[in-house]
Amino acid sequence: MPNKLISIVVSAYNEQDNVGELYKQLQKNMANVTGADYELVFVDDGSTDNTLANCKKLQKKDKRVKIVQLKRNFGHEIAMTAGMDYAKGDAVIFMDADLQHPPVYVPQMIKLWQEGNEIVLTKRVDNKETSKLYKWCAKTFYYVLNALSDTAVMESAPDFRLIDRKYVDFLKGFNEQDRLFRGLLSWIMPHDKVAIIDFTAPERFSGMSKYNFIKSLKLAVNSILQFSVLPLRLATVIGLFGAIFALLMGIYVFVEHFFLHNPTPGYATIMVTVVFLGAVQLICLGIIGEYIGKIHMEVKKRPLYMADYIENKDKRDA
Ligand code: UDP
Ligand code: MG
């Protein structure tokens, strides 16, 4: 029986000093794998440094290296999508370029797949680099996301995973612009054939994280909007509370004025009520606006990215 093919998809944005080391470590670890060949798909997400040039150098000496060159920076989720679209393997492994997803776990992932697990996830048990505050934020985010949406998303599950071709093809059917792989995955997740590997994430090999607080917050808000319409319902609830509050306030003023003959000074109460109701309305409009904005972006059905696929075909194979 011919060997199966594994595609290793690596998204890289300004990772010039990491791609070479990652290649070296993957090559070393893949030497222990039996029954499978592999291709290494580097997705250059519009890097402005020498990431692309360094990938091309690797490709020159190893034609298992394929390059998907995105024409500008499209973001991590789209980069993974592009890599998945071009991957030819019977299983696709996703990993970061900065060696925070240690290649040493890759053979184990493949083994679990060969044993019949169609999806192999990883769980970060300890990340030396992250602060207590970051961990707390991440925990709160997953709690809110899971409380709001129908699809449960596993906590501390990084984008380091293996997906069988069957599910890769299925994932390709999702063509939303704004996407969160973790969420899509939990939507399609087979409950019985998932394996999980625990791992400790080391520090970045080189360079800086591409996620800052604002980017992470944007990702968090987006994923809630993607997977839940509950905030819309929340708008109605806030409105309802506002109305009840205004009604009670009205009754209070009425009673004070007509029965207790102790009129509340007018403008203060009016101001409070108007400002309060104004704020409630703005919140509701804002929430609705967020969703309309998403609809606006999605209905255009623009292509997700623009890319060149670069491979090093031997004349003999052509
Ligand atoms: N990345 C990407 N496009 C981006 C931002 C990041 O392809 O716009 C890649 C990046 O090169 C890395 C992975 O996504 O391989 C994870 O990013 P990073 O290490 O910066 O995130 P962190 O590990 O700090 O959460
Ligand atoms: Mg990283």
Side-chain angles (χ1 to χ4, degrees):
M1 209 170 61
N3 273 356
K4 297 265 187 186
L5 180 70
I6 309 278
S7 299
I8 303 175
V9 170
V10 178
S11 25
Y13 175 50
N14 293 344
E15 306 280 9
Q16 59 179 17
D17 299 322
N18 290 327
V19 287
E21 180 65 24
L22 179 71
Y23 170 79
K24 218 161 68 188
Q25 291 197 20
L26 273 173
Q27 204 186 23
K28 196 173 99 199
N29 283 288
M30 288 305 286
N32 307 328
V33 172
T34 50
D37 299 323
Y38 74 100
E39 62 168 1
L40 184 51
V41 185
F42 278 111
V43 184
D44 171 39
D45 190 10
S47 301
T48 49
D49 65 356
N50 288 324
T51 303
L52 181 65
N54 290 353
C55 290
K56 281 184 175 165
K57 268 186 213 155
L58 296 173
Q59 188 174 57
K60 254 202 181 117
K61 52 178 186 182
D62 187 346
K63 64 187 171 91
R64 285 174 302 191
V65 173
K66 315 283 164 66
I67 301 170
V68 178
Q69 182 200 358
L70 295 182
K71 294 301 184 182
R72 64 168 169 86
N73 179 245
F74 283 89
H76 189 197
E77 302 286 328
I78 296 290
M80 285 191 285
T81 307
M84 177 177 80
D85 288 347
Y86 284 100
K88 299 190 191 78
D90 300 294
V92 180
I93 294 175
F94 296 85
M95 62 197 297
D96 287 356
D98 58 3
L99 291 133
Q100 285 196 294
H101 297 163
V104 66
Y105 293 99
V106 169
Q108 196 182 339
M109 276 179 151
I110 297 172
K111 189 155 186 292
L112 284 165
W113 173 68
Q114 286 167 333
E115 287 167 5
N117 296 288
E118 292 172 329
I119 291 185
V120 182
L121 301 177
T122 58
K123 193 165 162 44
R124 207 166 33 212
V125 280
D126 179 35
N127 191 339
K128 291 195 189 79
E129 203 180 325
T130 51
S131 64
K132 273 213 166 74
L133 179 70
Y134 178 90
K135 279 184 191 155
W136 182 85
C137 287
K139 233 186 162 56
T140 313
F141 161 65
Y142 281 107
Y143 179 79
V144 173
L145 182 61
N146 282 329
L148 285 179
S149 74
D150 306 334
T151 356
V153 177
M154 198 173 86
E155 202 185 313
S156 305
D159 296 302
F160 182 27
R161 57 175 78 94
L162 177 147
I163 306 178
D164 184 84
R165 168 58 51 190
K166 185 165 110 194
Y167 290 93
V168 167
D169 286 342
F170 205 79
L171 276 170
K172 283 178 164 180
F174 289 80
N175 43 26
E176 53 226 75
Q177 301 269 340
D178 236 326
R179 46 181 54 224
L180 185 74
F181 252 86
R182 276 159 237 205
L184 297 183
L185 255 188
S186 39
W187 198 93
I188 63 163
M189 195 77 83
H191 285 293
D192 47 342
K193 290 173 181 166
V194 181
I196 299 174
I197 299 176
D198 287 347
F199 82 107
T200 318
E203 293 187 5
R204 257 179 166 273
F205 181 71
S206 163
M208 299 262 289
S209 171
K210 311 299 179 301
Y211 281 92
N212 52 27
F213 179 72
I214 299 289
K215 256 189 164 175
S216 305
L217 189 68
K218 224 165 119 184
L219 190 72
V221 171
N222 265 350
S223 24
I224 289 172
L225 294 182
Q226 281 309 309
F227 286 94
S228 167
V229 288
L230 216 64
L232 280 175
R233 238 166 270 157
L234 208 67
T236 320
V237 175
I238 297 173
L240 216 60
F241 273 112
I244 292 171
F245 177 76
L247 195 72
L248 291 179
M249 187 114 162
I251 294 172
Y252 169 77
V253 172
F254 187 85
V255 171
E256 284 266 296
H257 189 91
F258 288 104
F259 295 100
L260 306 175
H261 304 291
N262 178 26
T264 323
Y267 73 93
T269 36
I270 290 175
M271 283 300 283
V272 169
T273 321
V274 167
V275 170
F276 177 73
L277 286 182
V280 167
Q281 286 184 29
L282 282 180
I283 293 172
C284 298
L285 268 180
I287 296 173
I288 296 166
E290 287 285 340
Y291 281 93
I292 293 179
K294 296 280 169 224
I295 297 168
H296 174 72
M297 296 310 287
E298 296 291 346
V299 287
K300 290 197 275 261
K301 294 230 177 302
R302 286 187 178 157
L304 294 177
Y305 55 84
M306 194 177 158
D308 272 345
Y309 182 65
I310 311 169
E311 63 184 327
N312 171 12
K313 270 198 173 166
D314 257 0
K315 296 270 181 314
R316 277 171 284 136
D317 304 341

